[in-house]
């Protein structure tokens, strides 16, 4: 056992004395040491219940003959961090989480791990760590929040942000906003739509790193506790059979993840995280394959914010495995991939029935014949941009309009709420990329303000930043190269005409190459004074089209 390095032999007597200080018995030290990576904290709603999940995992490990030992991982609540300097510290935690988990696991020589994440960067960060460490690992998340109820309808966090925009437009009273505030987020858990946290938890199932239901069983259901116990037991089976993350997270597994991503209509953040996780697993994902996969993958789900169904309903309809089984009817998945169950994808999804064709459309009656995410290119985004096509109004799939240019999110929000943005405009927010932000902030506030003011089907937003999974509309992010790196988005001027054609994957500025070259010659990059971790991050981070991974030294 790996843990023998800290438990066995005369040279390890000092180590054993420290285990004695922990109150560990000789019997416990004879068993495999299993690290329980708990993301519990008291500031993130998706993590406030993880103490109960962790205790259930520990029980499962102990029942199966292991010695569970818990240590922490950090997590940021993107909702609380939204709209201020805190959002600069969201994406950057993904690498902190991966690095710190690597440190803890190797410093203490754990034999296996159970990862307990739940929120946006916490899930991919721990998946990156799992791929990097490559010791037997199972994931079990804290689970999704139940949908809220306002004025007789189900709702979620995205409606809460849009309510603020409606108030600014004079459509809502303060009492209306208060009603949303009190009832949009009714339980613990990751926010109830197909936002980034739930997208990544669902894709963890698809990758084969989580048990069935990991992405969809609500946080408040007792089944979530049972799932956690089974995860603890299963990691011991993986240890016995020496099944490791890189046996599971293969190129085929990532193609499966992209396929299900398209069918579910996941957050555009998955286009940042899947390449970063794959990189740690020794697999390179070029975003060009996203359009290739999307072209043959029907969009089967319109979960909030794209529609009016929520993760709890996806769970009741059969969950991620039911979606996968629909896709498999047209042989769209690699079914021979190994998973944490010790079985293949094909064995796992066999017989998983779609119980609600209104929530999961049958494969022969999809919302669209193509997937929920599109990668765009053109002279405005030579290296790519990303849009959640399934959340775009049909009339905005093709659009031309004048650029309204802002060098930061705050200026754009002021203009939107001040009534300075009108139907037909294309809002451009730049210097918000991985380096330029730094930290690549999410633009949920401006997209929600646009939607709340009734402009969601007539105004587009383009940024080198990114979007929350809660954003909807023609929200095009991850523009690469970013402005801070001299990408063409830096040279857009007020009133330039921008042409968007999502169906044909194009994003173009209707300005000649000669004019762009002249603007570039006279360009001076805007620099932001940053220090501490953000300064180190900005120095090392790569472009969004590469997954915003950190350069290897």
């Amino acid at each position: 056992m790996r843990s023998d390095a800290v438990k066995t032999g005369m040279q390890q007597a000092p180590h054993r004395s420290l285990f004695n200080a922990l109150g560990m018995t000789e019997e416990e030290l004879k068993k495999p040491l299993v690290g329980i990576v708990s993301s519990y904290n008291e500031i993130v709603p998706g993590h406030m219940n993880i103490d109960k999940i962790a205790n259930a995992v520990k029980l499962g490990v102990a029942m199966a003959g292991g010695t569970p030992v818990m240590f922490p991982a950090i997590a940021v609540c993107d909702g609380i961090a939204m709209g201020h300097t805190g959002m600069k510290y969201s994406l950057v935690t993904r690498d902190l989480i991966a690095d710190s988990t690597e440190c803890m696991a190797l410093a203490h020589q754990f034999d296996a791990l159970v990862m307990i994440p739940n929120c946006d960067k916490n899930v991919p960060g721990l998946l990156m760590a799992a791929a990097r460490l490559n010791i037997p690992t199972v994931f079990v998340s804290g689970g999704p929040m139940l949908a809220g109820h306002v004025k007789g309808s189900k709702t979620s966090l995205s409606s809460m942000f849009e309510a603020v925009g409606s108030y600014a437009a004079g459509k809502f009273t303060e009492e209306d906003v208060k009603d949303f505030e009190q009832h949009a987020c009714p339980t613990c858990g990751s926010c109830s739509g197909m936002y980034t946290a739930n997208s990544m938890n669902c894709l963890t199932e698809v990758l084969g790193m989580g048990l069935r239901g990991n992405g969809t069983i609500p946080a408040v259901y007792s089944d979530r506790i049972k799932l956690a116990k089974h995860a603890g037991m299963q990691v011991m089976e993986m240890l016995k059979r020496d099944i490791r993350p890189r046996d599971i997270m293969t190129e085929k597994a990532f193609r499966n993840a992209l396929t299900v991503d398209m069918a579910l209509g996941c957050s555009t953040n998955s286009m940042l995280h899947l390449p970063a996780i794959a990189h740690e697993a020794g697999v390179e994902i070029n975003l060009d394959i996203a359009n290739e996969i999307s072209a043959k993958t029907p969009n089967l789900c319109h979960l909030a914010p794209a529609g009016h169904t929520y993760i709890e309903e996806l769970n009741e309809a059969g969950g991620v495995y039911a979606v996968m089984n629909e896709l498999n009817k047209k042989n769209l998945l690699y079914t021979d991939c190994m998973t944490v169950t010790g079985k293949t994808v094909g064995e796992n999804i066999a017989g998983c029935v779609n119980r609600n064709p209104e929530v999961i459309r049958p494969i022969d009656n999809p919302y669209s014949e193509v997937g929920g995410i599109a990668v765009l290119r053109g002279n405005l985004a030579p290296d790519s941009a990303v849009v959640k096509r399934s959340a775009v109004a049909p009339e905005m799939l093709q659009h031309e309009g004048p650029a309204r240019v802002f060098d930061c999110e705050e200026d754009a929000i002021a203009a939107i709420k001040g009534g300075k943005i009108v139907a037909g405009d294309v809002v451009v927010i730049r210097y918000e990329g991985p380096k330029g932000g730094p930290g690549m902030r999410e633009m949920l506030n401006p997209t929600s303000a646009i939607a709340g003011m009734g402009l969601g089907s007539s105004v587009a937003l383009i940024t080198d930043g990114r979007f929350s999974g809660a954003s909807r509309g023609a929200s095009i992010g991850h523009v690469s190269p970013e402005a801070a790196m001299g990408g063409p988005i830096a040279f857009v001027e007020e009133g330039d005409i921008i042409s968007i054609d999502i169906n044909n994957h194009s994003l173009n500025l209707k300005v000649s190459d000669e004019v762009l070259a002249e603007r570039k010659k006279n360009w001076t990059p805007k620099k932001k004074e940053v220090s501490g971790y953000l300064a180190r991050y900005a120095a090392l981070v790569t472009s969004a089209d590469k997954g915003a991974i950190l350069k290897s030294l």
Side-chain angles (χ1 to χ4, degrees):
M1 288 188 292
R2 176 190 295 262
S3 61
D4 285 345
V6 295
K7 296 187 309 185
T8 304
M10 183 56 65
Q11 290 298 318
Q12 280 64 46
H15 305 69
R16 289 194 295 275
S17 73
L18 293 168
F19 282 111
N20 284 331
L22 290 168
M24 278 200 188
T25 64
E26 289 186 12
E27 290 82 358
E28 287 173 294
L29 288 176
K30 289 177 182 175
K31 298 175 182 178
L33 285 183
V34 179
I36 313 300
V37 188
S38 170
S39 304
Y40 170 76
N41 63 51
E42 295 182 338
I43 190 62
V44 185
H47 292 240
M48 63 182 284
N49 65 319
I50 282 179
D51 55 342
K52 296 177 179 60
I53 303 295
N55 286 335
V57 169
K58 289 172 70 176
L59 185 58
V61 168
M63 286 192 294
T67 297
V69 184
M70 188 159 52
F71 66 88
I74 64 168
V76 163
C77 177
D78 278 23
I80 294 174
M82 195 70 65
H84 55 89
T85 192
M87 181 45 67
K88 294 177 184 288
Y89 287 89
S90 170
L91 179 61
V92 303
T93 64
R94 186 186 71 182
D95 296 272
L96 277 177
I97 291 162
D99 292 349
S100 59
T101 303
E102 174 194 355
C103 291
M104 289 294 288
L106 294 182
H108 302 100
Q109 292 292 290
F110 288 106
D111 296 300
L113 298 168
V114 180
M115 306 287 201
I116 315 177
N118 210 28
C119 284
D120 296 32
K121 313 309 163 304
N122 181 245
V123 183
L126 289 178
L127 282 166
M128 288 166 68
R132 191 183 297 176
L133 290 162
N134 201 34
I135 59 177
T137 303
V138 176
F139 277 67
V140 56
S141 79
M145 184 184 290
L146 293 179
H149 290 82
V150 178
K151 300 184 189 300
S153 298
K154 284 188 174 182
T155 192
S156 61
L157 183 67
S158 54
S159 299
M160 180 70 255
F161 276 90
E162 290 175 17
V164 176
S166 295
Y167 176 77
K171 297 180 179 182
F172 273 16
T173 65
E174 191 172 337
E175 290 72 27
D176 290 328
V177 176
K178 188 75 171 178
D179 194 12
F180 273 91
E181 187 180 324
Q182 294 298 319
H183 301 108
C185 299
T187 72
C188 63
S190 48
C191 297
S192 56
M194 188 52 82
Y195 309 149
T196 306
N198 291 329
S199 295
M200 295 310 303
N201 281 325
C202 287
L203 295 181
T204 299
E205 276 192 65
V206 183
L207 282 170
M209 291 298 294
L211 300 176
R212 182 180 182 181
N214 179 66
T216 60
I217 297 171
V220 295
Y221 283 14
S222 297
D223 278 350
R224 177 64 56 178
I225 299 296
K226 294 179 184 177
L227 183 73
K229 291 175 183 174
H230 283 129
M233 290 185 267
Q234 190 58 36
V235 81
M236 296 304 298
E237 181 65 21
M238 291 180 69
L239 182 59
K240 188 186 304 180
R241 295 176 57 179
D242 196 28
I243 299 173
R244 299 169 182 251
R246 292 194 185 189
D247 300 327
I248 295 168
M249 289 193 280
T250 61
E251 183 178 353
K252 287 181 178 179
F254 283 102
R255 283 183 167 265
N256 281 348
L258 283 167
T259 299
V260 179
D261 188 328
M262 298 300 170
L264 285 171
C266 290
S267 163
T268 51
N269 279 313
S270 62
M271 294 295 104
L272 278 177
H273 300 322
L274 287 175
I277 299 160
H279 177 76
E280 296 291 352
V283 175
E284 293 304 316
I285 291 182
N286 185 318
L287 284 187
D288 286 333
I289 71 169
N291 285 339
E292 169 202 322
I293 289 171
S294 180
K296 60 186 179 183
T297 306
N299 178 224
L300 304 182
C301 298
H302 266 193
L303 296 147
H308 300 289
T309 53
Y310 296 84
I311 300 296
E312 64 198 68
E313 290 157 302
L314 177 60
N315 186 63
E316 291 161 8
V320 174
Y321 278 18
V323 175
M324 294 174 74
N325 206 31
E326 286 290 340
L327 293 170
N328 199 40
K329 291 175 182 177
K330 288 196 174 178
N331 299 314
L332 293 175
L333 296 176
Y334 295 96
T335 56
D336 59 342
C337 296
M338 178 53 63
T339 71
V340 293
T341 66
K343 299 177 181 178
T344 64
V345 165
E347 290 172 312
N348 285 343
I349 67 175
C352 293
V353 177
N354 178 1
R355 301 192 194 100
N356 190 337
E358 297 301 314
V359 176
I360 305 171
R361 287 280 186 92
I363 193 76
D364 55 1
N365 182 35
Y367 281 101
S368 70
E369 293 292 343
V370 294
I373 289 178
V375 175
L376 314 182
R377 293 182 190 273
N379 71 347
L380 189 51
D383 291 342
S384 73
V386 179
V387 63
K388 188 171 182 175
R389 172 169 39 199
S390 59
V392 178
E395 56 268 38
M396 290 298 289
L397 290 170
Q398 287 184 305
H399 179 76
E400 278 194 9
R404 304 300 307 280
V405 184
F406 305 94
D407 288 341
C408 67
E409 177 190 6
E410 290 81 0
D411 290 350
I413 292 170
I416 295 164
K417 291 186 176 178
K420 295 178 181 177
I421 303 301
V422 299
D425 284 347
V426 179
V427 176
V428 176
I429 306 177
R430 61 194 180 191
Y431 294 101
E432 292 286 5
K435 280 187 180 293
M440 204 179 182
R441 289 194 288 182
E442 288 184 342
M443 301 292 143
L444 179 57
N445 273 347
T447 59
S448 298
I450 287 169
M453 297 185 78
L455 297 170
S457 59
S458 60
V459 169
L461 195 155
I462 297 172
T463 182
D464 53 7
R466 59 195 178 92
F467 294 106
S468 164
S471 290
R472 61 188 175 99
S475 303
I476 300 168
H478 307 195
V479 170
S480 301
E482 62 176 289
M485 296 298 291
I489 192 172
F491 315 131
V492 181
E493 294 185 358
E494 188 80 7
D496 286 347
I497 300 301
I498 292 176
S499 175
I500 300 164
D501 190 342
I502 292 172
N503 288 332
N504 288 307
H505 308 116
S506 71
L507 179 63
N508 286 292
L509 182 65
K510 301 190 89 172
V511 171
S512 70
D513 291 345
E514 292 76 18
V515 170
L516 282 177
E518 187 64 26
R519 290 179 185 178
K520 184 170 186 177
K521 194 190 307 179
N522 299 318
W523 170 70
T524 302
K526 295 181 184 297
K527 293 188 177 179
K528 298 177 184 176
E529 293 301 320
V530 292
S531 59
Y533 181 55
L534 283 184
R536 295 197 301 276
Y537 182 85
L540 292 174
V541 70
T542 62
S543 181
D545 65 297
K546 303 292 190 296
I549 61 174
L550 300 184
K551 295 174 188 171
S552 299
L553 298 178

